[in-house]
Amino acid sequence: MGVKADRQAEEFTAFVRSSGTQLHHAAMLLTGDHHLAEDLTQATYAKVFVHWRRVQAADSPLAYARTTLLNTFLSHRRLRRSSEHPSELTDADLGPPAGADPDPGARVDLLAALAGLSPLDRAVVVLRYWEDRSVADTATDLGISESAVRTRARRALLRLRPLIAPHAERTHP
Amino acid sequence: MTDTDPNHDPRLSTALRERLRDERPDLEHLAQSSLRAGIRGRRRRRAGAAAGAVLGVTAVAVTAGLLSGGGTTARDGTVATTPTPSATATVTATPTPGDQQSHDVGAPGDPALPFTLDLAGWTCEYFPVDDKAWCTSTRGGNLSVVVRPAEDHAAWAGQPDKGADPSTLWTSPVHGNYFVTVQGGAGADGLGPTPLQAFIDGLHLAPRWDRP
């Protein structure tokens, strides 16, 4: 590599060191699996490096990387899951919340329950509850309506809320 | 942040952060592997752009020749079939021996990965830049198949954080200079109703992998 390429590699490596943990955590929440999260994060950074000069010029390189992560995660699933029609989602799709009346003896972990949501629901959760993005920003990032964001967030919350407190009791007896 | 969702529950944010508090990625490995994959991606992108440019030049040259030559093509085949840009395009588009070998044994339409999956109901989307394919089943399965260098096989076959992890469903034997792992068992959709052995039987691995 030349001097310029070396500098780019150093800058990119520094970027991965500073942002890698945050992106990996988001990937963990999206995939529900340690190895898939590693793969997703690596695929994301590889794409980021391909466009590194553009990324550096962006207002927020981290936001660029986060958007790339979400798009990478959703794109391959969108191709496979034709049943994902966010604009057509209604309350009737919500169904009974899993774990609304949890059995303490068969408690499902929060991350496992998150992995049981649809990919788009997971993406909504990550943006709303991990990245602390607003409804409007989440809708823009995912290319869906604000109403769909609220509906999906509510559905996810119905499923996940029962698992919030029990875990705290388990980890901090 | 102005939030317009009355159902928003900040306790979920806290709980998610609590769950991931001890999750620490290997940032040095992540940086190096991403850099290598990114460099390959750039090369592939440049090669694609160059091939596209050559084809574009060829198309323009041929079109110009046809327009300026009137009916020449019909009367004198040598004029129309031997334009200089065509020769260049032929050289550029000819795959290297490594490419050809990979294409013969790799995924249909994808010359870069050394395996295919032939299993009813399953399809794979290939990401050669990442050395992996994500395979999905119409019945709900969702796995990744990752190509890895042979020198890593001992680690993947034996280490508790890799081969013994329930998310790694299968580690193949070494094929020449590589092996594959099938991953996605824990917390994800995994195999769905497909038996693991059926998935393994559907995988066809090339004797070795010559990375393009």
Side-chain angles (χ1 to χ4, degrees), chain A residues 91-108:
Chain A
D91 282 353
D93 297 320
L94 294 176
D101 183 17
D103 173 6
R107 214 175 265 158
V108 183

Side-chain angles (χ1 to χ4, degrees), chain A residues 17 25 33 81 115 130 167, chain B residues 17 19 23 28 167 187 189:
Chain A
R17 287 193 189 113
H25 284 173
D33 176 89
R81 302 200 175 197
W130 182 257
H167 180 81
Chain B
R17 281 166 173 71
R19 297 302 195 281
E23 178 73 19
E28 291 309 311
S167 75
D189 299 320

Side-chain angles (χ1 to χ4, degrees), chain B residues 4 9 39 65 79 90 121 127 189 209:
Chain B
T4 57
D9 187 343
I39 289 170
V79 174
T90 302
F127 295 89
D189 299 320
W209 183 32

Side-chain angles (χ1 to χ4, degrees), chain B:
Chain B
M1 180 181 72
T2 303
D3 207 304
T4 57
D5 185 357
N7 293 309
H8 192 72
D9 187 343
R11 289 183 308 152
L12 181 54
S13 299
T14 306
L16 292 175
R17 281 166 173 71
E18 172 76 14
R19 297 302 195 281
L20 294 177
R21 190 179 51 190
D22 298 327
E23 178 73 19
R24 294 272 185 273
D26 182 344
L27 293 176
E28 291 309 311
H29 173 75
L30 177 61
Q32 293 311 310
S33 59
S34 301
L35 186 59
R36 283 196 299 271
I39 289 170
R40 288 199 300 275
R42 280 186 177 183
R43 284 194 194 124
R44 195 166 281 117
R45 192 161 169 261
R46 275 199 293 266
V54 169
L55 289 174
V57 169
T58 304
V60 169
V62 169
T63 304
L66 288 174
L67 289 175
S68 63
T72 305
T73 305
R75 288 191 297 271
D76 184 355
T78 59
V79 174
T81 55
T82 56
T84 303
S86 287
T88 308
T90 302
V91 172
T92 305
T94 299
T96 63
D99 285 340
Q100 188 58 54
Q101 183 184 0
S102 296
H103 185 70
D104 288 340
V105 298
D110 189 324
L113 295 178
F115 67 87
T116 57
L117 177 67
D118 181 16
L119 182 58
W122 283 83
T123 51
C124 295
E125 190 178 359
Y126 293 86
F127 295 89
V129 69
D130 305 322
D131 300 344
K132 70 171 69 67
W134 284 349
C135 302
T136 53
S137 159
T138 52
R139 294 190 294 168
N142 202 314
L143 297 170
S144 73
V145 182
V146 186
V147 184
R148 303 182 188 279
E151 54 265 33
D152 292 348
H153 189 264
W156 278 88
Q159 291 209 357
D161 66 330
K162 290 179 177 170
D165 190 302
S167 75
T168 303
L169 296 176
W170 183 62
T171 301
S172 81
V174 171
H175 287 245
N177 58 348
Y178 80 96
F179 68 101
V180 302
T181 57
V182 177
Q183 294 171 218
D189 299 320
L191 284 158
T194 304
L196 175 60
Q197 192 57 50
F199 189 89
I200 294 170
D201 291 344
L203 278 174
H204 299 287
L205 304 180
R208 63 177 285 110
W209 183 32
D210 293 311
R211 188 195 294 275

Side-chain angles (χ1 to χ4, degrees), chain A residues 50-121:
Chain A
V50 169
H51 304 288
W52 182 238
R53 268 183 287 185
R54 190 195 308 169
V55 175
Q56 281 184 304
D59 290 339
S60 170
L62 180 58
Y64 187 106
R66 184 185 59 214
T67 302
T68 303
L69 179 88
L70 282 167
N71 288 340
T72 303
F73 171 72
L74 289 172
S75 62
H76 84 284
R77 287 162 189 272
R78 226 173 241 144
L79 291 171
R80 303 294 173 220
R81 302 200 175 197
S82 57
S83 59
E84 286 283 308
H85 295 299
S87 60
E88 298 170 10
L89 191 70
T90 66
D91 282 353
D93 297 320
L94 294 176
D101 183 17
D103 173 6
R107 214 175 265 158
V108 183
D109 181 70
L110 180 60
L111 296 185
L114 182 62
L117 300 179
S118 76
L120 195 52
D121 284 2

